[in-house]
């Protein structure tokens, strides 16, 4: 089953994000359950990282929440909020018929 993790950074959190970024990237790259992900962009320039999104393939939402809780961004206090939801990947999913 797929789950989406939606992160929202704390206001003015870019320095804290950058301090934890390499650990976050290593965590994501070394997690076999990650299917896709990346930063959400915003700010005055439209390019500043202000959050993120990751799609996970796991058996339960509890596993997805536990994965998110271990993310260095979350453990490092970067996030204002973290939302985990079940996700049906239909368009663009290489394993879905007709996508």
């Amino acid at each position: 089953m797929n789950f989406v993790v939606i992160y929202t950074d704390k206001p003015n959190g870019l320095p804290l994000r950058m301090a934890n970024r390499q650990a976050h990237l290593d965590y994501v790259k070394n997690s076999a359950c990650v299917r896709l992900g990346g930063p959400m962009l915003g700010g005055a320039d439209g390019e500043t990282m202000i959050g993120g999104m990751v799609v996970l393939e796991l058996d339960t939402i509890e596993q997805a929440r536990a994965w998110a809780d271990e993310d260095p961004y979350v453990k490092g206090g970067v996030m204002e909020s973290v939302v985990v939801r079940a996700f049906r990947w239909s368009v663009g999913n290489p394993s879905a018929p007709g996508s």
Side-chain angles (χ1 to χ4, degrees), residues 64-84:
R65 287 183 180 132
W67 184 92
D69 288 344
E70 290 300 313
D71 186 325
Y73 276 164
V74 174
K75 291 176 93 172
V78 176
M79 298 303 147
E80 179 176 71
S81 68
V82 179
V83 177
V84 180

Side-chain angles (χ1 to χ4, degrees), residues 13-73:
L14 188 59
L16 189 55
R17 169 184 271 273
M18 297 311 292
N20 288 277
R21 189 162 192 254
Q22 191 58 55
H24 163 77
L25 292 174
D26 291 343
Y27 180 65
V28 169
K29 288 177 185 175
N30 292 316
S31 296
C33 62
V34 174
R35 296 296 165 253
L36 65 101
M40 301 284 193
L41 305 176
D45 61 2
E47 293 293 323
T48 301
M49 292 180 280
I50 59 167
M53 186 274 310
V54 177
V55 174
L56 307 172
E57 185 176 336
L58 292 164
D59 292 328
T60 68
I61 197 164
E62 291 80 16
Q63 290 172 325
R65 287 183 180 132
W67 184 92
D69 288 344
E70 290 300 313
D71 186 325
Y73 276 164

